[in-house]
Structures are given as C-alpha cells and as structure tokens.
Amino acid sequence: MAAEITVAYNNIPGVPSFTADWGLSFLVRDEDDVILFDTGGDPAILRKNLQRLGIKPGEIDLVVLSHYHRDHYGGLEVVLRPGLTVFLPQSFPSWFKDSLKTRGVRVIEVKDPRRIRERVWTTGEISGIIPEQSLILSTSRGLVILTGCSHPGVAKICRRAREIMRKNIYLVAGGFHLSGASRKEIQEIIEELKTLGVRKIAPNHCTGLNATRMFHEAWGKNFIQLGVGESVSFQSIETE
C-alpha cells in the first residue's frame, strides 16, 4: 500500500503554480482515505491549491485541526458539508464546535491519543502555552509525524508519539515555532530530536529561517524541503 503527504497550504514557496500564504495544511492520501490536517488561513487560497492538486472539497473524508489559530483553521469552510468528520482538541471554544454541529458536521473532541484511521493516529491534545494535537502515520519505515505549530514543543510531541506507538520516528514535518528561539535553544532541540532517533526532518511554516538552516545543517541529505504543492511518498504502510 502507498501513502502520500502533500503540502496544500504553506508560507514556504514550493511548486510555482501554487499560492504561498501564511498558514499550514497537509493533504494526506492513504489508499482510499483523504485527510486534511489543518486548513490554512484563507479559504480562497486553500480552494485554489486543492484544485491544483486535483482534489474536490467533497473528496475530503475527514479534517484534523491541530490548534485554535486561524492560520490553521481559517480555510475550513472550503470543505465543510453535512456528515464531514472534524477531529479537534477539546480546548477549542464551545462556539466553534457548536457552529460546526449546526452545519451537520460530526465533531470529535480529542483529549487522549486515539486511532482515527487504520494507520493514522492523533497524539491527543498535548498541553503547552497553546494546547495542540499532531498527526501520526504508521509506515513501513517508521512513524511520520505532522505538526501544526509545535507550541508544546516539537521534541515533546515526538516523545509522545514514540510512547503511543513504540516505534522509531522516520520523519517529522510541519511548523516547529522556533522563529524567535536562540541558537542555543535550537541546538538543544536538534540534539534531543537526534537522541529520539528522528531520521528525516521537514520543517516549514513557523519554524523560522535560522532554525531551518540549522536543521538543514544537522540532517544534511535527510533534510526535506516541503514547500506548498510539494509531496513526499511512502511505498508501504503497515497494517496494525
């Protein structure tokens, strides 16, 4: 079986025909499942980028929102329809959840780690300055972890994923929220991720230029540039 992760929305440029804008969204395709992890900030831009990917909004099976920041949930209206399932941290405001329910959306509030598809898990809501959940894919190469902004800390998220799945980490991709961090702080995070055995890394969105350069230096050929419209594929996914 094959899975593919494509950046549907990001402020990091990638494929020229896609529009880059502040925010994040990953399109996850795993056999018959089509999952949107976060939805960027601007509905028009998300709609345009999904069209470039050949994806119609009605083809999205479910949406997973990482945290309550508009640049991660602002494009949600593009894919909303009765019967759509949306997984979101329980800390989202009641008005937000109620507004989805009134439109016939199935809202699942996430507190603890849980499986959401055969080979896809959520870390559960991880505490921090801003509570956040991340997505985990179980692949034949190891775990693939998708982060929104990593407000609780990218190393903390990776530790949680390993505790849940008890497997090695193949790739961590997404926002790491390090644009204001010092070189010392970034280096400590790099060393911790190396200790956790992270094989490949693909920082984008809110990671920051300085941190991105340092991750590139630390991972070398195992650093993956994932700008908007760019993809990474996995040849096979384990069945649990």
Side-chain angles (χ1 to χ4, degrees):
M1 293 183 239
E4 183 177 62
I5 297 164
T6 304
V7 183
Y9 199 114
N10 209 284
N11 43 285
I12 304 300
V15 178
S17 61
F18 286 74
T19 300
D21 182 61
W22 185 264
L24 180 140
S25 178
F26 283 107
L27 181 74
V28 179
R29 287 179 274 202
D30 176 17
E31 287 297 298
D32 295 329
D33 291 330
V34 182
I35 301 168
L36 204 59
F37 177 67
D38 284 344
T39 65
D42 187 314
I45 292 175
L46 179 65
R47 182 179 291 108
K48 175 184 175 183
N49 287 345
L50 288 177
Q51 288 174 346
R52 292 284 187 274
L53 293 172
I55 296 292
K56 297 177 181 177
E59 294 176 322
I60 304 294
D61 296 309
L62 62 88
V63 175
V64 180
L65 299 178
S66 63
H67 64 293
Y68 183 62
H69 272 173
R70 187 168 182 82
D71 56 326
H72 293 260
Y73 73 77
L76 182 59
E77 67 179 67
V78 171
V79 297
L80 285 184
R81 66 180 189 278
L84 178 72
T85 299
V86 176
F87 287 82
L88 46 72
Q90 65 173 2
S91 58
F92 264 63
S94 296
W95 72 264
F96 188 96
K97 301 172 210 173
D98 291 343
S99 68
L100 296 181
K101 292 174 184 176
T102 60
R103 298 182 65 172
V105 174
R106 180 176 177 234
V107 176
I108 298 180
E109 299 183 42
V110 174
K111 178 182 179 182
D112 300 315
R114 62 181 293 172
R115 173 185 274 159
I116 62 176
R117 279 293 189 267
E118 184 178 4
R119 295 166 290 272
V120 183
W121 291 69
T122 166
T123 59
E125 185 177 58
I126 301 177
S127 62
I129 297 175
I130 298 169
E132 189 169 335
Q133 68 173 329
S134 295
L135 205 64
I136 308 170
L137 283 74
S138 181
T139 84
S140 60
R141 299 178 184 179
L143 303 179
V144 173
I145 303 170
L146 302 181
T147 67
C149 274
S150 302
H151 287 292
V154 65
K156 184 176 181 180
I157 291 168
C158 290
R159 285 196 303 272
R160 169 71 68 86
R162 282 193 53 156
E163 289 168 3
I164 297 165
M165 306 298 292
R166 300 185 181 279
K167 294 179 181 177
N168 294 328
I169 300 170
Y170 177 69
L171 169 67
V172 185
F176 294 176
H177 199 64
L178 295 172
S179 59
S182 68
R183 288 188 61 86
K184 181 176 181 294
E185 291 169 327
I186 297 166
Q187 187 59 44
E188 288 173 353
I189 291 168
I190 286 172
E191 290 172 4
E192 188 165 4
L193 293 179
K194 289 282 190 177
T195 299
L196 287 168
V198 175
R199 286 181 58 194
K200 294 182 182 288
I201 202 113
N204 55 37
H205 181 43
C206 59
T207 302
L209 291 176
N210 187 43
T212 299
R213 290 191 196 102
M214 291 179 67
F215 280 107
H216 198 169
E217 291 170 4
W219 266 266
K221 66 180 182 180
N222 288 318
F223 176 95
I224 300 175
Q225 176 68 44
L226 271 184
V228 63
E230 296 179 322
S231 302
V232 59
S233 299
F234 308 94
Q235 292 305 309
S236 105
I237 297 286
E238 296 176 346
T239 300
E240 298 294 326

